[in-house]
């Protein structure tokens, strides 16, 4: 059966998603909310930026999701001397054939871990732009399509951290959402140590829960999740409000609205529904919008955070009634 012939219902997507999260949770301890956001980004067909201090499980999370989702996985360590060709690949001279042949770079995979992406200069960072947006790579005038599914999980240290380069706004906008893990609680950190002693080795392996074809079917099933007009207009109002906030220099682009729409659909499925309610939108607003906001320079001096701006926008923007559900949700016919 071809990928396009596979068909599953939104309810099954929720069941499979919970199984994937349970599998990843056997390795990544106590970060269920953050893990749900990462999986939501993947199911929504996007890329995820994991921004936090070193040693908090970002790389482990990416590897664990690749194993649980049954995806081909490659890790690329970004360093100050990394070149764009180290990401995309390049043409090399083949002495046997007397001609140049293309040697594919690590971007040719299903799940790419771009580790510490902000430790490399912007020129190399931008090598990912075309791959992330167009799912293709152009080298020496030749375009190569990437196999689907294709997702980038990029880890980044905080901008204030030594030896980092700020990500260009255009590249930040390509990430569907940004997630932070934070330090674990005392009992969670002890559980990490206990599991390490129990398995008696450093590596932790996860058996695949789904495969690439099933993941694509799960992504396609989300198109059946209903978004009422009132919810769609609420999404647009939230994004537009970020552009009008007095602390903001540049607000979220229309990609922010699209991110809210896609992620809210996933949240609905996680909640066992095939329709979106305002709470779904609110739960993903900060991860989807905060990294798309550029604050006025004086706001940095006041230590205003973009996530705080999103929280103010949520409070100030009226939400439609949660009871405004699709007609079939109340037993009526589905159109």
């Amino acid at each position: 059966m071809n990928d396009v012939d596979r068909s599953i219902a939104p309810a099954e997507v929720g069941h499979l998603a919970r199984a994937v999260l349970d599998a990843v949770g056997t390795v990544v301890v106590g970060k269920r909310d953050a893990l749900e956001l990462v999986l939501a980004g993947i199911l929504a067909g996007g890329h995820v930026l994991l921004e936090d201090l070193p040693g908090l499980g970002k790389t482990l999370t990416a590897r664990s999701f690749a194993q649980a989702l049954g995806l081909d996985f490659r890790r690329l360590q970004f360093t100050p001397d990394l070149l764009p060709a180290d990401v995309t690949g390049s043409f090399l001279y083949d002495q046997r054939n007397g001609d140049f042949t293309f040697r594919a770079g690590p971007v040719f995979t299903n799940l790419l871990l771009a580790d510490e992406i902000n430790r490399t200069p912007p020129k190399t960072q931008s090598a990912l732009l075309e791959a992330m947006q167009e799912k293709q790579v152009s080298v020496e005038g030749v375009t190569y399509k990437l196999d689907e599914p294709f997702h980038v999980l990029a880890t980044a240290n905080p901008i204030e951290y030594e030896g980092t380069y700020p990500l260009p706004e255009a590249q930040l906008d390509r990430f569907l959402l940004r997630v932070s893990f934070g330090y674990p609680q005392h009992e969670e950190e002890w559980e990490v140590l206990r599991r390490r002693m129990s398995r008696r080795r450093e590596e932790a392996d996860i058996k695949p829960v789904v495969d690439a074809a099933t993941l694509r079917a799960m992504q396609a099933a989300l198109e059946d999740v209903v978004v009422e007009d009132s919810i769609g207009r609420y999404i647009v109002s939230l994004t537009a409000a970020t552009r009008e906030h007095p602390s903001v220099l540049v607000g979220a682009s229309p990609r922010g609205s699209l991110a809210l729409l896609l992620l809210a659909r996933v949240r609905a499925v996680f909640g066992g529904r095939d329709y979106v309610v305002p709470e779904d939108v609110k739960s993903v607003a900060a991860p989807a919008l905060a990294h798309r906001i550029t604050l006025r320079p004086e706001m940095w001096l006041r230590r205003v955070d973009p996530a705080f701006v999103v929280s103010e926008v949520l409070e100030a923007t009226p939400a439609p009634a949660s009871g405004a559900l699709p007609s079939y949700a109340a037993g009526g016919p589905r159109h």
Side-chain angles (χ1 to χ4, degrees):
M1 179 180 292
N2 297 327
D3 293 353
V4 294
D5 297 329
R6 299 174 62 88
S7 178
I8 60 178
E12 186 179 353
V13 175
H15 174 74
L16 291 173
R18 287 188 289 273
V20 170
L21 289 168
D22 290 343
V24 175
T26 63
V27 175
V28 183
V29 180
K31 300 296 180 183
R32 184 76 174 201
D33 290 344
L35 295 179
E36 285 187 2
L37 286 172
V38 174
L39 182 58
I42 295 173
L43 290 176
H47 313 287
V48 182
L49 179 63
L50 308 175
E51 185 177 270
D52 222 324
L53 295 168
L56 297 182
K58 302 185 295 296
T59 302
L60 177 63
T61 296
R63 184 179 295 109
S64 299
F65 270 114
Q67 292 176 344
L69 295 171
L71 301 179
D72 182 40
F73 173 75
R74 292 191 183 183
R75 174 182 179 273
L76 179 60
Q77 180 66 49
F78 281 71
T79 58
D81 60 348
L82 195 73
L83 299 175
D86 297 326
V87 178
T88 61
S90 58
F91 283 91
L92 299 177
Y93 185 73
D94 189 339
Q95 293 184 343
R96 293 182 179 180
N97 301 327
D99 198 2
F100 287 90
T101 58
F102 180 67
R103 182 178 181 180
V107 75
F108 287 86
T109 187
N110 294 135
L111 185 62
L112 174 67
L113 170 58
D115 213 358
E116 297 187 300
I117 190 174
N118 62 338
R119 284 200 180 277
T120 197
K123 183 177 181 180
T124 304
Q125 293 175 8
S126 64
L128 277 177
L129 283 178
E130 182 183 15
M132 293 171 65
Q133 183 64 28
E134 306 295 338
K135 307 294 179 68
Q136 65 183 29
V137 170
S138 298
V139 181
E140 299 293 336
V142 182
T143 299
Y144 300 90
K145 297 292 292 184
L146 299 175
D147 291 336
E148 293 187 8
F150 172 73
H151 301 280
V152 174
L153 295 188
T155 71
N157 296 313
I159 294 175
E160 296 83 2
Y161 206 72
E162 184 177 356
T164 60
Y165 300 82
L167 291 174
E169 287 79 0
Q171 184 161 354
L172 277 175
D173 209 28
R174 294 310 198 276
F175 287 102
L176 196 66
L177 74 166
R178 180 177 61 183
V179 181
S180 296
F181 282 74
Y183 286 109
Q185 300 295 324
H186 181 87
E187 290 300 320
E188 295 170 350
E189 193 164 356
W190 160 239
E191 181 66 15
V192 172
L193 303 184
R194 191 192 66 78
R195 293 186 187 184
R196 170 61 181 83
M197 292 185 291
S198 176
R199 65 176 178 264
R200 304 176 66 86
R201 58 192 178 91
E202 187 64 31
E203 297 79 12
D205 295 325
I206 298 176
K207 293 183 179 179
V209 177
V210 298
D211 55 18
T214 304
L215 174 59
R216 292 185 61 185
M218 293 169 69
Q219 293 171 336
L222 292 172
E223 297 296 330
D224 293 328
V225 177
V226 177
V227 181
E228 290 287 278
D229 288 351
S230 61
I231 302 293
R233 292 183 179 277
Y234 176 56
I235 288 173
V236 173
S237 296
L238 284 175
T239 307
T242 66
R243 305 164 196 160
E244 301 167 359
H245 194 280
S247 300
V248 172
L249 182 64
V250 179
S253 72
R255 280 202 186 97
S257 296
L258 183 59
L260 284 178
L261 170 69
L262 298 175
L263 292 170
R265 278 177 159 177
V266 181
R267 277 298 195 186
V269 169
F270 284 176
R273 289 173 279 102
D274 61 354
Y275 55 89
V276 173
V277 297
E279 286 72 20
D280 297 324
V281 179
K282 295 176 182 179
S283 68
V284 297
L289 297 180
H291 66 290
R292 306 175 194 274
I293 294 174
T294 302
L295 296 177
R296 296 184 181 278
E298 61 269 23
M299 293 300 109
W300 291 106
L301 298 177
R302 300 179 188 176
R303 297 187 178 276
V304 175
D305 186 86
F308 176 73
V309 172
V310 176
S311 67
E312 287 196 334
V313 164
L314 285 171
E315 291 180 5
T317 305
S322 296
L325 306 179
S327 57
Y328 68 86
R334 181 172 181 176
H335 300 290

